[in-house]
Amino acid sequence: MTPSTYKLKHKIQGALRLGRALQLVWQSSPTWTIARILLLIVQSTLPLLSLYLMKVIVDAVSTAIAAANKQAAFQQIALLIVLTGTVNLIIALCSSIAELVNTTQAEIITDYMYGIVHAKAIEVDLEYYENSQYHDTLQRAQQEAYFRPTHILNSLLQLSENTISLVAITGLLLFFHWQVAAILFVATVPGLFVRLKYADQMYHWKRKRTATQRKAYYLDWMLTNSWHAKEIRLFNLGSLFSRRFRQLRKQLYQESLAISKRSTVTALVTQTSATIAVYGSYAIIAYQTVKGTFTLGDLIMYYQAFQRGQSALQGVLGSVAGLYEDNLFLSNVHEFLDLKPRIIEPLHPLPVPRLQHKGIQFQGVSFQYPTSDRQGLKDISLTIQPGEVVALVGENGAGKTTLIKLLCRLYDPTQGSITFEGYDLRCLATTDLRRQISVIFQDYAKYYLTAKENIWFGNIDLPPDDGLIQNAAYKAGADDVISSLPNSYETILGNWFEDGEELSIGQWQKIALARAFLRDAQILVLDEPTSALDAKAEEEVFQKFRQLIKNQAAILISHRLSTVKMADHIYLMEHGRIVENGTHEELMQLGGSYAHLFEIQAKNYR
């Protein structure tokens, strides 16, 4: 690509980004945008009328001094003063209204952009969240998305307002003295190039240092959140993390300061040159008045016109520079919004069938994580029939949870297929498929909301006060826990908010189990479902388990082999492969790895 072609492409991309930004602004608040445009027209024209009226007043005063009928002359002056005052009152009123409109629209745009970012964060696949580059992209977008569109709108409106003023004033100054207008332009333009140059440098530096900024944020988060509070104190990690945070922030500060220093020095040189040129022009205006070329009113009008012209030109150039800078950084937002889901939805999804005969089948399934060379699953083939309880056992990293992620279509297999009653999962809408699977993962979520909501989130299609919520809590053994809380099911869980009640790990797990049981799904998946429960609570859960699943298919993942004895079929996984399978009795008779692991665990209870 030639340099000229690259520059053209760069300009086209910039224009497209600008167009997308304005589209976001218009979609968020069309009425407020129209209001701002109307105010802009008024605010850019009335000051010129005020400037002209001031000239007329000064000339009228000069004439009145020598007039015979000073009373009549003053009446004319008073009328002009009232008219000028009225214009300035209208200007002040428009300014106040504009401030209200600007503030309101900025809030609306910010909230709209929050919604856009949230929607994209929900849309992208789980794969993105397991990729560090995605988190860099997300952070850059979050830093820019909520204010850059408003900045662009402000810059465009200011550019329009200053341009209208500048056109009118330039015409006036050209009529007065074309060299003065040229000086005005030459004195102001160098500052534009300085700002554009250092906007580029700051943009590229911020992209380069995104990972460093995220590390600093991570350290700050660990130092201030409740999840790490115990260990930080027990292992005396606070000073270490704080010191590392300060080191990262110092590095960022020094690099940013170096760019700012260079920008400040260069800007000072250009500003000094501009000041000399401006005051030289003032001298020309004064000299022409002393010679009698212009009246005193002309002097004041031209003097103020020159001032306003310089201010308008600086505003135009500043708005252009601001647009360039905002457009650069807005590319971070577009980079995030342009992310595409890797899980492709079918154009014509089939309805999710009822599990009756074929069940769920994994056929030669292999999977490799996109960001890793390690293969998560290798040639997995298994079948889960309706009403059947299947257990997946094996060491950490054996591929058990990965298999569940594929079943939920959080990922697609690298090879092979997964079918649901004979239909490939890729033929089903992911939302409909996931509606038929109720999962509690080992790293289940804790929602710092009411106990009722924590369970209701398992099936938000139900009314929030449905009696099935308490029934699910009873099945999971959580009803007794919740009933003992100060406000029962209306108690806020966790200690982040006022009147919140913190639970033990085992109690939180019961709440999560209740959430899974509430979902009216065909498949129930429990990933280490009782790891935080004591032996008695664990036994109570599994005594009810057969009753709970009814005609559902159930998948248990557990390290406790005592909990999987009741499974209809057990699969032992090692390094992403199934190495043994059968009932508990069959595997014990086989005398392989499963029997060996079971004997090791059983010794602890003898």
Side-chain angles (χ1 to χ4, degrees), residues 105 112 118 125 134 141 175 189 230 252 277 279 326 405 419 432 438 466 485 489 520 528 533 550:
Q105 188 182 32
Y112 183 77
H118 292 167
D125 307 319
Y134 167 77
F175 175 77
V189 168
K230 293 189 291 293
L252 294 170
Y279 280 93
D326 287 333
K405 290 178 180 178
T419 59
D432 296 341
S438 183
D466 197 289
L485 297 174
Y489 282 80
D520 182 21
E528 295 291 348
L533 302 183
K550 299 178 182 177

PDB file of all heavy atoms in Angstrom, residues 105 112 118 125 134 141 175 189 230 252 277 279 326 405 419 432 438 466 485 489 520 528 533 550:
ATOM      1  N   GLN A 105     -28.449  16.086  27.732  1.00  0.00           N
ATOM      2  CA  GLN A 105     -28.108  15.199  26.626  1.00  0.00           C
ATOM      3  C   GLN A 105     -26.875  14.367  26.937  1.00  0.00           C
ATOM      4  O   GLN A 105     -26.795  13.191  26.568  1.00  0.00           O
ATOM      5  CB  GLN A 105     -27.893  15.990  25.339  1.00  0.00           C
ATOM      6  CG  GLN A 105     -27.739  15.081  24.124  1.00  0.00           C
ATOM      7  CD  GLN A 105     -27.484  15.829  22.845  1.00  0.00           C
ATOM      8  OE1 GLN A 105     -26.859  16.874  22.843  1.00  0.00           O
ATOM      9  NE2 GLN A 105     -27.975  15.291  21.737  1.00  0.00           N
ATOM     10  N   TYR A 112     -27.020   5.684  27.346  1.00  0.00           N
ATOM     11  CA  TYR A 112     -27.209   4.919  26.114  1.00  0.00           C
ATOM     12  C   TYR A 112     -25.960   4.107  25.782  1.00  0.00           C
ATOM     13  O   TYR A 112     -26.050   2.932  25.396  1.00  0.00           O
ATOM     14  CB  TYR A 112     -27.533   5.878  24.977  1.00  0.00           C
ATOM     15  CG  TYR A 112     -27.816   5.206  23.653  1.00  0.00           C
ATOM     16  CD1 TYR A 112     -29.030   4.586  23.402  1.00  0.00           C
ATOM     17  CD2 TYR A 112     -26.860   5.204  22.639  1.00  0.00           C
ATOM     18  CE1 TYR A 112     -29.294   3.976  22.181  1.00  0.00           C
ATOM     19  CE2 TYR A 112     -27.109   4.591  21.420  1.00  0.00           C
ATOM     20  CZ  TYR A 112     -28.330   3.980  21.196  1.00  0.00           C
ATOM     21  OH  TYR A 112     -28.580   3.368  19.995  1.00  0.00           O
ATOM     22  N   HIS A 118     -22.937  -2.848  27.476  1.00  0.00           N
ATOM     23  CA  HIS A 118     -23.469  -4.012  28.186  1.00  0.00           C
ATOM     24  C   HIS A 118     -24.018  -5.044  27.195  1.00  0.00           C
ATOM     25  O   HIS A 118     -23.801  -6.251  27.358  1.00  0.00           O
ATOM     26  CB  HIS A 118     -24.574  -3.583  29.155  1.00  0.00           C
ATOM     27  CG  HIS A 118     -24.091  -2.757  30.299  1.00  0.00           C
ATOM     28  ND1 HIS A 118     -24.919  -2.047  31.133  1.00  0.00           N
ATOM     29  CD2 HIS A 118     -22.833  -2.522  30.738  1.00  0.00           C
ATOM     30  CE1 HIS A 118     -24.203  -1.403  32.029  1.00  0.00           C
ATOM     31  NE2 HIS A 118     -22.937  -1.688  31.828  1.00  0.00           N
ATOM     32  N   ASP A 125     -18.998 -14.271  23.061  1.00  0.00           N
ATOM     33  CA  ASP A 125     -18.934 -15.623  23.613  1.00  0.00           C
ATOM     34  C   ASP A 125     -18.019 -15.688  24.833  1.00  0.00           C
ATOM     35  O   ASP A 125     -17.197 -14.797  25.077  1.00  0.00           O
ATOM     36  CB  ASP A 125     -18.417 -16.592  22.553  1.00  0.00           C
ATOM     37  CG  ASP A 125     -19.227 -16.506  21.273  1.00  0.00           C
ATOM     38  OD1 ASP A 125     -20.456 -16.389  21.368  1.00  0.00           O
ATOM     39  OD2 ASP A 125     -18.625 -16.540  20.189  1.00  0.00           O
ATOM     40  N   TYR A 134      -8.971  -9.606  24.842  1.00  0.00           N
ATOM     41  CA  TYR A 134     -10.343  -9.098  24.951  1.00  0.00           C
ATOM     42  C   TYR A 134     -10.467  -8.130  26.119  1.00  0.00           C
ATOM     43  O   TYR A 134     -11.113  -7.081  26.009  1.00  0.00           O
ATOM     44  CB  TYR A 134     -11.337 -10.246  25.129  1.00  0.00           C
ATOM     45  CG  TYR A 134     -12.714  -9.778  25.553  1.00  0.00           C
ATOM     46  CD1 TYR A 134     -13.589  -9.213  24.634  1.00  0.00           C
ATOM     47  CD2 TYR A 134     -13.115  -9.882  26.878  1.00  0.00           C
ATOM     48  CE1 TYR A 134     -14.846  -8.771  25.022  1.00  0.00           C
ATOM     49  CE2 TYR A 134     -14.373  -9.433  27.274  1.00  0.00           C
ATOM     50  CZ  TYR A 134     -15.229  -8.879  26.342  1.00  0.00           C
ATOM     51  OH  TYR A 134     -16.467  -8.427  26.733  1.00  0.00           O
ATOM     52  N   ALA A 141     -12.406   0.332  25.642  1.00  0.00           N
ATOM     53  CA  ALA A 141     -13.758   0.770  25.281  1.00  0.00           C
ATOM     54  C   ALA A 141     -14.448   1.425  26.459  1.00  0.00           C
ATOM     55  O   ALA A 141     -15.099   2.473  26.326  1.00  0.00           O
ATOM     56  CB  ALA A 141     -14.578  -0.420  24.774  1.00  0.00           C
ATOM     57  N   PHE A 175     -12.497  43.316   4.707  1.00  0.00           N
ATOM     58  CA  PHE A 175     -12.898  44.641   4.253  1.00  0.00           C
ATOM     59  C   PHE A 175     -12.021  45.716   4.892  1.00  0.00           C
ATOM     60  O   PHE A 175     -11.681  46.722   4.277  1.00  0.00           O
ATOM     61  CB  PHE A 175     -14.370  44.882   4.595  1.00  0.00           C
ATOM     62  CG  PHE A 175     -14.844  46.267   4.269  1.00  0.00           C
ATOM     63  CD1 PHE A 175     -15.123  46.627   2.955  1.00  0.00           C
ATOM     64  CD2 PHE A 175     -15.007  47.211   5.270  1.00  0.00           C
ATOM     65  CE1 PHE A 175     -15.558  47.906   2.650  1.00  0.00           C
ATOM     66  CE2 PHE A 175     -15.434  48.494   4.972  1.00  0.00           C
ATOM     67  CZ  PHE A 175     -15.716  48.838   3.663  1.00  0.00           C
ATOM     68  N   VAL A 189      -2.771  28.872  13.320  1.00  0.00           N
ATOM     69  CA  VAL A 189      -2.705  27.526  12.739  1.00  0.00           C
ATOM     70  C   VAL A 189      -1.625  26.627  13.344  1.00  0.00           C
ATOM     71  O   VAL A 189      -1.875  25.430  13.558  1.00  0.00           O
ATOM     72  CB  VAL A 189      -2.533  27.629  11.209  1.00  0.00           C
ATOM     73  CG1 VAL A 189      -2.157  26.283  10.610  1.00  0.00           C
ATOM     74  CG2 VAL A 189      -3.822  28.125  10.579  1.00  0.00           C
ATOM     75  N   LYS A 230      -9.188 -11.519  53.539  1.00  0.00           N
ATOM     76  CA  LYS A 230      -8.655 -12.428  54.558  1.00  0.00           C
ATOM     77  C   LYS A 230      -7.207 -12.804  54.269  1.00  0.00           C
ATOM     78  O   LYS A 230      -6.337 -12.697  55.135  1.00  0.00           O
ATOM     79  CB  LYS A 230      -9.534 -13.678  54.647  1.00  0.00           C
ATOM     80  CG  LYS A 230     -10.941 -13.428  55.176  1.00  0.00           C
ATOM     81  CD  LYS A 230     -11.672 -14.713  55.454  1.00  0.00           C
ATOM     82  CE  LYS A 230     -12.014 -15.476  54.187  1.00  0.00           C
ATOM     83  NZ  LYS A 230     -13.006 -14.793  53.346  1.00  0.00           N
ATOM     84  N   LEU A 252       3.508   4.680  34.598  1.00  0.00           N
ATOM     85  CA  LEU A 252       2.524   5.307  33.721  1.00  0.00           C
ATOM     86  C   LEU A 252       2.583   6.824  33.818  1.00  0.00           C
ATOM     87  O   LEU A 252       2.503   7.535  32.803  1.00  0.00           O
ATOM     88  CB  LEU A 252       1.116   4.802  34.085  1.00  0.00           C
ATOM     89  CG  LEU A 252       0.840   3.319  33.825  1.00  0.00           C
ATOM     90  CD1 LEU A 252      -0.478   2.905  34.455  1.00  0.00           C
ATOM     91  CD2 LEU A 252       0.829   3.025  32.339  1.00  0.00           C
ATOM     92  N   ALA A 277       2.208  38.220  17.084  1.00  0.00           N
ATOM     93  CA  ALA A 277       1.492  38.585  15.863  1.00  0.00           C
ATOM     94  C   ALA A 277       0.183  39.297  16.163  1.00  0.00           C
ATOM     95  O   ALA A 277      -0.189  40.290  15.511  1.00  0.00           O
ATOM     96  CB  ALA A 277       1.226  37.340  15.027  1.00  0.00           C
ATOM     97  N   TYR A 279      -0.732  41.086  18.910  1.00  0.00           N
ATOM     98  CA  TYR A 279      -0.597  42.453  19.425  1.00  0.00           C
ATOM     99  C   TYR A 279       0.011  43.387  18.387  1.00  0.00           C
ATOM    100  O   TYR A 279      -0.217  44.600  18.421  1.00  0.00           O
ATOM    101  CB  TYR A 279       0.204  42.445  20.722  1.00  0.00           C
ATOM    102  CG  TYR A 279      -0.662  42.037  21.893  1.00  0.00           C
ATOM    103  CD1 TYR A 279      -0.727  40.712  22.303  1.00  0.00           C
ATOM    104  CD2 TYR A 279      -1.470  42.966  22.534  1.00  0.00           C
ATOM    105  CE1 TYR A 279      -1.550  40.320  23.342  1.00  0.00           C
ATOM    106  CE2 TYR A 279      -2.302  42.594  23.579  1.00  0.00           C
ATOM    107  CZ  TYR A 279      -2.334  41.267  23.981  1.00  0.00           C
ATOM    108  OH  TYR A 279      -3.166  40.894  25.004  1.00  0.00           O
ATOM    109  N   ASP A 326     -10.741  12.877  19.526  1.00  0.00           N
ATOM    110  CA  ASP A 326     -11.873  12.041  19.919  1.00  0.00           C
ATOM    111  C   ASP A 326     -12.078  10.895  18.939  1.00  0.00           C
ATOM    112  O   ASP A 326     -12.406   9.775  19.322  1.00  0.00           O
ATOM    113  CB  ASP A 326     -13.153  12.885  19.989  1.00  0.00           C
ATOM    114  CG  ASP A 326     -13.177  13.809  21.193  1.00  0.00           C
ATOM    115  OD1 ASP A 326     -12.540  13.476  22.202  1.00  0.00           O
ATOM    116  OD2 ASP A 326     -13.823  14.870  21.124  1.00  0.00           O
ATOM    117  N   LYS A 405     -19.243 -27.183  29.078  1.00  0.00           N
ATOM    118  CA  LYS A 405     -19.268 -25.930  28.303  1.00  0.00           C
ATOM    119  C   LYS A 405     -19.662 -26.197  26.858  1.00  0.00           C
ATOM    120  O   LYS A 405     -20.389 -25.411  26.237  1.00  0.00           O
ATOM    121  CB  LYS A 405     -17.907 -25.238  28.367  1.00  0.00           C
ATOM    122  CG  LYS A 405     -17.557 -24.656  29.738  1.00  0.00           C
ATOM    123  CD  LYS A 405     -16.172 -24.031  29.713  1.00  0.00           C
ATOM    124  CE  LYS A 405     -15.806 -23.452  31.068  1.00  0.00           C
ATOM    125  NZ  LYS A 405     -14.428 -22.884  31.078  1.00  0.00           N
ATOM    126  N   THR A 419     -25.242 -34.069  19.721  1.00  0.00           N
ATOM    127  CA  THR A 419     -26.636 -34.045  19.265  1.00  0.00           C
ATOM    128  C   THR A 419     -27.576 -34.095  20.457  1.00  0.00           C
ATOM    129  O   THR A 419     -27.274 -34.671  21.506  1.00  0.00           O
ATOM    130  CB  THR A 419     -26.941 -35.224  18.327  1.00  0.00           C
ATOM    131  OG1 THR A 419     -26.690 -36.462  19.014  1.00  0.00           O
ATOM    132  CG2 THR A 419     -26.077 -35.140  17.078  1.00  0.00           C
ATOM    133  N   ASP A 432     -32.594 -21.061  23.295  1.00  0.00           N
ATOM    134  CA  ASP A 432     -33.548 -22.155  23.523  1.00  0.00           C
ATOM    135  C   ASP A 432     -32.845 -23.374  24.105  1.00  0.00           C
ATOM    136  O   ASP A 432     -33.379 -24.043  24.997  1.00  0.00           O
ATOM    137  CB  ASP A 432     -34.237 -22.524  22.209  1.00  0.00           C
ATOM    138  CG  ASP A 432     -35.091 -21.376  21.670  1.00  0.00           C
ATOM    139  OD1 ASP A 432     -35.436 -20.478  22.456  1.00  0.00           O
ATOM    140  OD2 ASP A 432     -35.386 -21.390  20.457  1.00  0.00           O
ATOM    141  N   SER A 438     -29.976 -26.804  33.115  1.00  0.00           N
ATOM    142  CA  SER A 438     -29.808 -26.110  34.398  1.00  0.00           C
ATOM    143  C   SER A 438     -28.456 -26.509  34.975  1.00  0.00           C
ATOM    144  O   SER A 438     -28.196 -27.687  35.214  1.00  0.00           O
ATOM    145  CB  SER A 438     -30.934 -26.494  35.362  1.00  0.00           C
ATOM    146  OG  SER A 438     -30.819 -25.777  36.570  1.00  0.00           O
ATOM    147  N   ASP A 466     -43.347 -16.465  42.925  1.00  0.00           N
ATOM    148  CA  ASP A 466     -43.901 -17.801  42.695  1.00  0.00           C
ATOM    149  C   ASP A 466     -43.526 -18.746  43.833  1.00  0.00           C
ATOM    150  O   ASP A 466     -42.404 -18.715  44.357  1.00  0.00           O
ATOM    151  CB  ASP A 466     -43.382 -18.355  41.365  1.00  0.00           C
ATOM    152  CG  ASP A 466     -44.216 -19.522  40.862  1.00  0.00           C
ATOM    153  OD1 ASP A 466     -44.132 -20.613  41.475  1.00  0.00           O
ATOM    154  OD2 ASP A 466     -44.951 -19.339  39.884  1.00  0.00           O
ATOM    155  N   LEU A 485     -32.846 -16.019  58.458  1.00  0.00           N
ATOM    156  CA  LEU A 485     -32.356 -14.667  58.182  1.00  0.00           C
ATOM    157  C   LEU A 485     -33.356 -13.624  58.679  1.00  0.00           C
ATOM    158  O   LEU A 485     -34.558 -13.903  58.792  1.00  0.00           O
ATOM    159  CB  LEU A 485     -32.119 -14.499  56.672  1.00  0.00           C
ATOM    160  CG  LEU A 485     -31.051 -15.416  56.054  1.00  0.00           C
ATOM    161  CD1 LEU A 485     -31.013 -15.249  54.538  1.00  0.00           C
ATOM    162  CD2 LEU A 485     -29.675 -15.124  56.652  1.00  0.00           C
ATOM    163  N   TYR A 489     -36.851 -14.457  53.029  1.00  0.00           N
ATOM    164  CA  TYR A 489     -36.509 -14.452  51.610  1.00  0.00           C
ATOM    165  C   TYR A 489     -36.240 -13.047  51.062  1.00  0.00           C
ATOM    166  O   TYR A 489     -35.696 -12.901  49.962  1.00  0.00           O
ATOM    167  CB  TYR A 489     -37.624 -15.122  50.791  1.00  0.00           C
ATOM    168  CG  TYR A 489     -37.578 -16.640  50.867  1.00  0.00           C
ATOM    169  CD1 TYR A 489     -38.085 -17.326  51.965  1.00  0.00           C
ATOM    170  CD2 TYR A 489     -37.004 -17.387  49.845  1.00  0.00           C
ATOM    171  CE1 TYR A 489     -38.036 -18.703  52.050  1.00  0.00           C
ATOM    172  CE2 TYR A 489     -36.940 -18.769  49.913  1.00  0.00           C
ATOM    173  CZ  TYR A 489     -37.450 -19.427  51.014  1.00  0.00           C
ATOM    174  OH  TYR A 489     -37.385 -20.800  51.095  1.00  0.00           O
ATOM    175  N   ASP A 520     -36.868 -25.180  35.062  1.00  0.00           N
ATOM    176  CA  ASP A 520     -37.627 -26.298  34.487  1.00  0.00           C
ATOM    177  C   ASP A 520     -36.914 -26.752  33.218  1.00  0.00           C
ATOM    178  O   ASP A 520     -37.302 -26.412  32.102  1.00  0.00           O
ATOM    179  CB  ASP A 520     -39.056 -25.852  34.180  1.00  0.00           C
ATOM    180  CG  ASP A 520     -39.901 -26.988  33.633  1.00  0.00           C
ATOM    181  OD1 ASP A 520     -39.529 -28.165  33.855  1.00  0.00           O
ATOM    182  OD2 ASP A 520     -40.914 -26.699  32.973  1.00  0.00           O
ATOM    183  N   GLU A 528     -19.432 -30.277  40.942  1.00  0.00           N
ATOM    184  CA  GLU A 528     -19.046 -30.251  42.361  1.00  0.00           C
ATOM    185  C   GLU A 528     -20.185 -29.665  43.199  1.00  0.00           C
ATOM    186  O   GLU A 528     -20.003 -28.676  43.917  1.00  0.00           O
ATOM    187  CB  GLU A 528     -17.758 -29.442  42.553  1.00  0.00           C
ATOM    188  CG  GLU A 528     -16.539 -30.043  41.885  1.00  0.00           C
ATOM    189  CD  GLU A 528     -16.085 -31.343  42.557  1.00  0.00           C
ATOM    190  OE1 GLU A 528     -16.566 -31.664  43.665  1.00  0.00           O
ATOM    191  OE2 GLU A 528     -15.266 -32.044  41.950  1.00  0.00           O
ATOM    192  N   LEU A 533     -20.487 -28.593  51.285  1.00  0.00           N
ATOM    193  CA  LEU A 533     -21.448 -29.064  52.273  1.00  0.00           C
ATOM    194  C   LEU A 533     -20.804 -30.106  53.180  1.00  0.00           C
ATOM    195  O   LEU A 533     -19.910 -30.844  52.769  1.00  0.00           O
ATOM    196  CB  LEU A 533     -22.671 -29.678  51.579  1.00  0.00           C
ATOM    197  CG  LEU A 533     -23.449 -28.776  50.623  1.00  0.00           C
ATOM    198  CD1 LEU A 533     -24.669 -29.525  50.081  1.00  0.00           C
ATOM    199  CD2 LEU A 533     -23.876 -27.485  51.302  1.00  0.00           C
ATOM    200  N   LYS A 550     -36.623 -36.470  38.397  1.00  0.00           N
ATOM    201  CA  LYS A 550     -37.774 -37.026  37.696  1.00  0.00           C
ATOM    202  C   LYS A 550     -37.349 -37.620  36.347  1.00  0.00           C
ATOM    203  O   LYS A 550     -36.603 -38.572  36.290  1.00  0.00           O
ATOM    204  CB  LYS A 550     -38.849 -35.949  37.521  1.00  0.00           C
ATOM    205  CG  LYS A 550     -39.374 -35.404  38.830  1.00  0.00           C
ATOM    206  CD  LYS A 550     -40.392 -34.314  38.622  1.00  0.00           C
ATOM    207  CE  LYS A 550     -40.869 -33.742  39.949  1.00  0.00           C
ATOM    208  NZ  LYS A 550     -41.807 -32.627  39.774  1.00  0.00           N
TER     209      LYS A 550
END
